[in-house]
């Protein structure tokens, strides 16, 4: 991981510590702030997160408007929209860090893990299925959370596989990919180790 990416990751983890301990920075925006935000955006990182209403990256990392370029999709999978968001962040804003933020108690992951076929989300569900199959096979103590971790790692692999722009940026060290897990019960973001 290059030093820019490492610095951004450290700043985000410090922000999560503030969030988790109830010391989030109270942000107030002036008219000048709104005008600056309107003129430009300089996000620090791109984050692929779930659509879950309880998993909003900006407050979780104690960041402000314009700090994070975010794609939110059920199960934080590498949908076409997600790829486009990550490509834009890399190409247009030169972000050094891409995070896939999984979370505990994920409805999308648990529905696929439990073979709930539903009537919508077919392609998105199929992107979660390999993690569900592996998690079932590995008999973890907490299989849904294990599946969420595996799914985050798979999302990174899928993004790099399916996008030339993303793959080249990753291979040239221009962007670092980091899978993280948000533990809703504690508000903590933790690294996902290789499963």
């Amino acid at each position: 991981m290059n030093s820019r990416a490492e610095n951004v990751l450290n700043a985000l983890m410090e922000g999560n510590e503030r969030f988790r301990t109830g010391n989030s920075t109270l942000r107030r925006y002036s008219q000048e702030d709104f005008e600056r935000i309107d003129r430009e955006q300089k996000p620090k990182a791109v984050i692929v997160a779930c659509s879950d209403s309880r998993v909003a990256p900006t407050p979780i990392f104690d960041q402000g408007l314009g700090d994070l370029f975010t794609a939110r999709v059920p199960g934080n999978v590498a949908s076409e929209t997600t790829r486009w968001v990550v490509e834009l962040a890399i190409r247009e804003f030169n972000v050094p860090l891409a995070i896939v933020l999984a979370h505990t108690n994920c409805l999308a992951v648990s529905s696929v893990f439990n073979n709930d076929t539903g009537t919508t989300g077919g392609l998105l569900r199929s992107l979660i299925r390999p993690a569900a199959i592996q998690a079932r096979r590995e008999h973890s103590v907490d299989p849904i959370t294990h599946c969420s971790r595996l799914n985050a790692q798979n999302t990174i692999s899928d993004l790099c596989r399916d996008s030339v722009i993303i793959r080249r940026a990753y291979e040239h060290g221009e962007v670092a990919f980091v899978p993280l897990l948000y533990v809703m019960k504690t508000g903590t973001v933790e690294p996902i180790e290789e499963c």
Side-chain angles (χ1 to χ4, degrees):
M1 179 180 312
N2 66 48
S3 61
R4 278 183 65 221
E6 192 169 340
N7 290 340
V8 171
L9 180 59
N10 289 338
L12 293 178
M13 295 307 282
E14 288 168 8
N16 177 249
E17 179 66 13
R18 290 190 303 274
F19 169 78
R20 188 187 68 72
T21 59
N23 295 307
S24 293
T25 306
L26 180 61
R27 298 184 190 278
R28 287 187 164 66
Y29 296 93
S30 67
Q31 185 58 44
E32 292 80 23
D33 292 326
F34 292 130
E35 290 171 8
R36 177 187 48 78
I37 291 167
D38 178 56
R39 281 190 311 273
E40 65 182 10
Q41 62 174 315
K42 295 181 181 178
K44 301 173 186 177
V46 60
I47 299 183
V48 176
C50 186
S51 300
D52 192 303
S53 62
R54 302 164 293 175
V55 186
T58 300
I60 287 171
F61 289 108
D62 192 29
Q63 299 299 301
L65 291 175
D67 289 336
L68 302 174
F69 205 67
T70 308
R72 296 190 62 188
V73 60
N76 47 269
V77 296
S79 67
E80 183 178 358
T81 302
T82 302
R83 285 192 306 275
W84 188 22
V85 168
V86 175
E87 286 177 2
L88 285 171
I90 291 169
R91 194 177 56 228
E92 301 296 326
F93 306 119
N94 194 29
V95 298
L97 180 65
I99 291 172
V100 175
L101 183 63
H103 67 95
T104 56
N105 300 321
C106 181
L107 179 60
V109 168
S110 64
S111 69
V112 173
F113 182 86
N114 292 319
N115 290 316
D116 173 12
T117 56
T119 57
T120 60
L123 178 59
L124 300 181
R125 289 171 184 273
S126 71
L127 294 171
I128 298 170
R129 196 160 289 117
I133 292 167
Q134 183 177 347
R136 277 192 224 103
R137 194 173 49 236
E138 293 178 353
H139 304 289
S140 172
V141 174
D142 183 352
I144 303 297
T145 300
H146 184 57
C147 185
S148 292
R149 288 184 178 107
L150 292 168
N151 185 55
Q153 293 174 333
N154 289 350
T155 296
I156 292 171
S157 297
D158 293 347
L159 287 168
C160 290
R161 180 195 67 218
D162 297 338
S163 168
V164 173
I165 292 169
I166 295 170
R167 183 172 54 253
R168 284 184 182 155
Y170 174 72
E171 289 172 351
H172 291 116
E174 297 164 7
V175 65
F177 280 88
V178 176
L180 297 173
L181 179 75
Y182 176 60
V183 181
M184 285 196 288
K185 189 173 185 177
T186 63
T188 304
V189 173
E190 54 187 44
I192 294 176
E193 304 300 329
E194 190 68 36
C195 297

